[in-house]
Amino acid sequence: MSGSLPTEDPLVRMYRELKRASAKDKAQVKWAMVIDQAKCIGCHACAVACASENRLGPGVVYRPVIEQETGTYPNVGRRFLPRPCMQCENPPCVAVCPVTATYKNAQGVTVMDYTRCIGCRYCIAACPYGARCADFGGFYTSRTAESPGQVQGRYAARAYEKQNAPEYGRNWGERGKGSPIGNARKCHFCLHRLAVGQLPSCVTSCVGRATIFGDRNDPASLVSELIGSPRATTLKPELGTRPAVFYLA
Amino acid sequence: MKASVNKPLLYLSCIGLAALAYGVVDVIIHRAGGTNLGSYVPWGMGVVMYLLFVGFSAGGLLVSALTELFGYRQLKPLGGLATYAALVAEVCAGIAIASDLGRYERMFNFVLSPSLTSPMFWMFVFFGGVLVVSLLKALAFARGDEGQAVLWSWVTIPVGLCFYFTNGFFFSVLTGHGLWSGPVVPLLFVAAALVCGVALVCSLAWWSRTDWDAAVLLSGVVLRLLVVFAILEGVWLWINWQGGRVETTAALANLAAGPGAWAFWGLHVVAGVVLPLILLPQCRNNPALAAWACLFILAGFAGARWAFVVPAQSVAMLPGLETAWQHPRLLLTYLPSLAEWCMAAGVSGLALFGFVMGPRLFPGLYGTTPQPSQAR
């Protein structure tokens, strides 16, 4: 068997490393993500898995996949740029929040306190990556016709929206008028999944294994290995935000 | 004798108040959901109206500074009027911005969990400061307590300057938006606020016949401030253009030739700057002309605020972001909803109501020496 072929699914390795990280003191762990653009096929599975996992309402997206065209005709290329929250070490969104509703947790993830957020959207304007969304309270079923007895009717479809958003390990209740409606929302590396030993949903749903996740404080982790690659880069490094999401160009 | 009330303007203000009622009900029911804002254009009409009325409130600061700091005693009769105008404008600004919040009922968190690194927190602090000082100053003027009025006039100067500076600082820290960021913006905001505020006091002084000589004197101040503002705005635009950042020049192109270019060229540049610059030097003995020139400035600043807030958000933070996930809340274009227009008309109506009824309700603030009734 060729030595260049992978002998193990990266997902298996990431789960093993996640278990190792979970056993450590929380303050010793720094979560990071590496996205290999050469492997990303632009299937948008991560974006859909994220929306489903976090019960995102209409117009709220944590991880859109941007399609980019490069070069000039006839030497053109096409690549994809999945864009989660960069979990910056020096996040502009945290500094501007007037009510400390957003902050960095011990593992370096920028989190939201939905119960504190006043919905001023200053953090959204401050994020240089457009990685935050305002939840204006839309419903996927608001224009769905009712069809009694049919699976696709409004009331049947509403079952999706009745499910509780699991973010930050708290029961936010059925989507109605309470938070997170009216708040700013963002990717949080699926902290609620990490808490129970699961990788973020965008990582597990990536069919090309283009998204790698792990503890960058663990030198033996796949994510640390890839961050050290000469291909590794970050978005808008000139702003000094020091993202924890790296791209392999 | 009670001051007469201009009936057509009163009716117009009542229409505005009805629109305000609609806007408030919509905000109570839908919060920010009734707006046409989105995640890529998170600020729109609410912020525009807030900035506009905050600027209008600066007249109290400038009249205090001119009277107490620079010794323009001829402006003393306008002290009460300027303070009243500042109060009305601050209330309108507060309503406009509170209605724009997604969770307005949690505003107490400004006090419970403040962030000292946030320009918005400081804006909130100084907003409250200006409101309280203006209220105390208005009470002093209404009671005829000169000592207190002078004291609060002095306090107004640093508090007001900090407030208008903080409004610009609020935008200048947003490095992701090239058009907003930079050190010129806070200075631009201070200059803009002073022009707007003093223009409002000048037009109110003529309209309410408080003191026409002082109004003419103020028009000279307006002219000088307008020149300073125009230079600062030119510098701001020039720096952004010369900086050459792709996103910034794209935002500038949108400002100059995008869908809202009429607000910048027509309303702001022509009506708000060029026309007053032509009219103001000609009104040394004509308070009516001075007042009309000032009214053009006030209308023009609505366009200036729109041109400042909206086009800067018309450029995606990352190329292609606007097409990555399709939804009306994820667009780079913005047109206010009916509820937003109603709120804008509503706060304007409220201000108009305050100014129309002011001479009748608060004669003490409007001065004690009314001018002859016929317009000069």
Side-chain angles (χ1 to χ4, degrees):
Chain A
M1 193 173 174
S2 165
S4 63
L5 286 173
T7 54
E8 175 183 62
D9 188 328
L11 208 53
V12 175
R13 181 175 170 185
M14 281 189 279
Y15 263 114
R16 196 169 54 240
E17 291 167 359
L18 178 63
K19 205 171 177 182
R20 201 160 63 222
S22 302
K24 286 166 66 176
D25 177 16
K26 276 188 176 179
Q28 302 298 315
V29 176
K30 283 281 178 280
W31 297 124
M33 186 176 276
V34 176
I35 298 170
D36 191 340
Q37 286 188 277
K39 286 183 178 173
C40 179
I41 59 170
C43 67
H44 297 258
C46 56
V48 175
C50 170
S52 173
E53 173 67 31
N54 293 295
R55 315 284 188 267
L56 303 183
V60 181
V61 58
Y62 289 172
R63 192 184 157 105
V65 180
I66 300 169
E67 300 188 20
Q68 296 178 324
E69 287 181 15
T70 57
T72 49
Y73 181 83
N75 301 312
V76 292
R78 190 158 173 251
R79 64 177 186 176
F80 304 96
L81 185 106
R83 201 263 15 238
C85 170
M86 298 291 124
Q87 315 293 358
C88 308
E89 273 185 58
N90 179 26
C93 55
V94 169
V96 300
C97 177
V99 294
T100 56
T102 185
Y103 54 91
K104 301 282 293 175
N105 75 1
Q107 293 91 46
V109 179
T110 306
V111 296
M112 282 291 304
D113 183 344
Y114 285 153
T115 60
R116 202 177 272 184
C117 175
I118 58 168
C120 65
R121 304 182 292 281
Y122 199 10
C123 56
I124 296 175
C127 177
Y129 306 103
R132 283 173 170 253
C133 276
D135 192 334
F136 287 95
F139 289 82
Y140 284 112
T141 50
S142 63
R143 289 182 186 175
T144 309
E146 181 46 26
S147 177
Q150 301 296 311
V151 176
Q152 69 269 31
R154 178 188 297 175
Y155 292 107
R158 197 173 277 168
Y160 169 78
E161 285 173 325
K162 280 190 173 179
Q163 293 179 43
N164 303 326
E167 293 177 280
Y168 306 113
R170 187 175 156 174
N171 181 358
W172 295 102
E174 185 181 330
R175 188 169 170 80
K177 291 202 176 290
S179 287
I181 287 175
N183 297 141
R185 301 181 70 177
K186 65 179 289 297
C187 156
H188 38 72
F189 278 172
C190 284
L191 284 173
H192 59 282
R193 286 174 63 95
L194 292 173
V196 293
Q198 292 182 324
L199 288 165
S201 62
C202 55
V203 177
T204 55
S205 61
C206 181
V207 294
R209 301 290 182 259
T211 301
I212 305 300
F213 182 83
D215 174 17
R216 67 186 293 191
N217 278 355
D218 177 359
S221 68
L222 181 54
V223 84
S224 291
E225 199 178 290
L226 294 173
I227 289 171
S229 159
R231 289 170 59 211
T233 180
T234 56
L235 296 180
K236 300 189 178 182
E238 71 278 7
L239 295 178
T241 52
R242 299 202 298 278
V245 173
F246 295 81
Y247 290 88
L248 297 183
Chain B
M1 191 182 76
K2 282 190 172 180
S4 61
V5 172
N6 186 315
K7 291 275 173 58
L9 285 182
L10 183 64
Y11 296 147
L12 190 64
S13 72
C14 288
I15 294 171
L17 291 178
L20 181 65
Y22 176 86
V24 168
V25 169
D26 187 87
V27 166
I28 290 169
I29 295 172
H30 299 116
R31 300 174 187 279
T35 66
N36 275 352
L37 296 166
S39 294
Y40 301 152
V41 185
W43 293 336
M45 189 59 104
V47 173
V48 168
M49 296 309 287
Y50 167 75
L51 293 176
L52 183 65
F53 278 96
V54 155
F56 290 173
S57 72
L61 157 70
L62 195 73
V63 171
S64 292
L66 287 171
T67 314
E68 305 302 335
L69 208 60
F70 298 106
Y72 281 80
R73 295 286 153 188
Q74 311 92 304
L75 295 177
K76 220 167 176 58
L78 296 185
L81 168 65
T83 308
Y84 177 69
L87 265 179
V88 171
E90 276 251 315
V91 169
C92 291
I95 292 172
I97 202 64
S99 69
D100 202 48
L101 295 177
R103 288 267 155 197
Y104 50 79
E105 76 278 14
R106 290 189 193 144
M107 275 201 288
F108 60 82
N109 281 337
F110 274 109
V111 179
L112 291 187
S113 56
S115 165
L116 303 185
T117 61
S118 172
M120 187 186 273
F121 168 72
W122 291 108
M123 202 167 75
F124 174 81
V125 168
F126 288 117
F127 180 91
V130 169
L131 197 64
V132 170
V133 172
S134 298
L135 198 60
L136 292 169
K137 200 162 66 160
L139 282 173
F141 274 114
R143 286 192 198 132
D145 186 341
E146 183 136 344
Q148 286 283 310
V150 170
L151 170 72
W152 292 118
S153 294
W154 276 102
V155 176
T156 301
I157 298 168
V159 176
L161 275 176
C162 287
F163 176 50
Y164 302 113
F165 183 87
T166 316
N167 279 287
F169 182 56
F170 176 89
F171 286 97
S172 69
V173 298
L174 298 175
T175 49
H177 291 282
L179 206 54
W180 286 343
S181 63
V184 181
V185 173
L187 300 176
L188 186 68
F189 265 70
V190 173
L194 294 178
V195 176
C196 282
V198 82
L200 178 66
V201 175
C202 182
S203 39
L204 283 177
W206 167 74
W207 182 72
S208 62
R209 300 191 289 276
T210 303
D211 191 320
W212 282 350
D213 293 333
V216 170
L217 181 64
L218 266 191
S219 71
V221 177
V222 174
L223 177 62
R224 290 182 188 91
L225 284 171
L226 190 60
V227 170
V228 171
F229 169 77
I231 291 170
L232 274 174
E233 190 172 59
V235 168
W236 170 63
L237 293 171
W238 184 249
I239 289 173
N240 278 315
W241 185 258
Q242 285 290 96
R245 272 180 64 185
V246 177
E247 307 90 356
T248 309
T249 45
L252 273 176
N254 198 309
L255 182 148
W262 61 270
F264 179 70
W265 293 113
L267 211 50
H268 173 45
V269 176
V270 176
V273 177
V274 176
L275 210 53
L277 282 177
I278 295 168
L279 294 178
L280 282 170
Q282 302 171 34
C283 49
R284 281 188 187 161
N285 296 310
N286 193 341
L289 188 64
W292 278 104
C294 288
L295 282 175
F296 279 123
I297 291 176
L298 299 182
F301 264 92
R305 289 299 174 235
W306 178 274
F308 182 84
V309 173
V310 177
Q313 303 173 86
S314 63
V315 184
M317 290 291 195
L318 295 170
L321 186 60
E322 72 281 12
T323 52
W325 193 265
Q326 302 287 324
H327 192 272
R329 300 276 188 198
L330 298 172
L331 296 175
L332 293 171
T333 53
Y334 166 71
L335 198 65
S337 65
L338 175 66
E340 287 174 281
W341 281 116
C342 282
M343 188 53 83
V347 290
S348 306
L350 181 62
L352 186 61
F353 182 80
F355 297 142
V356 168
M357 295 302 290
R360 170 76 69 97
L361 298 176
F362 306 100
L365 290 174
Y366 270 74
T368 51
T369 54
Q371 305 290 303
S373 58
Q374 66 272 32
R376 264 196 259 178

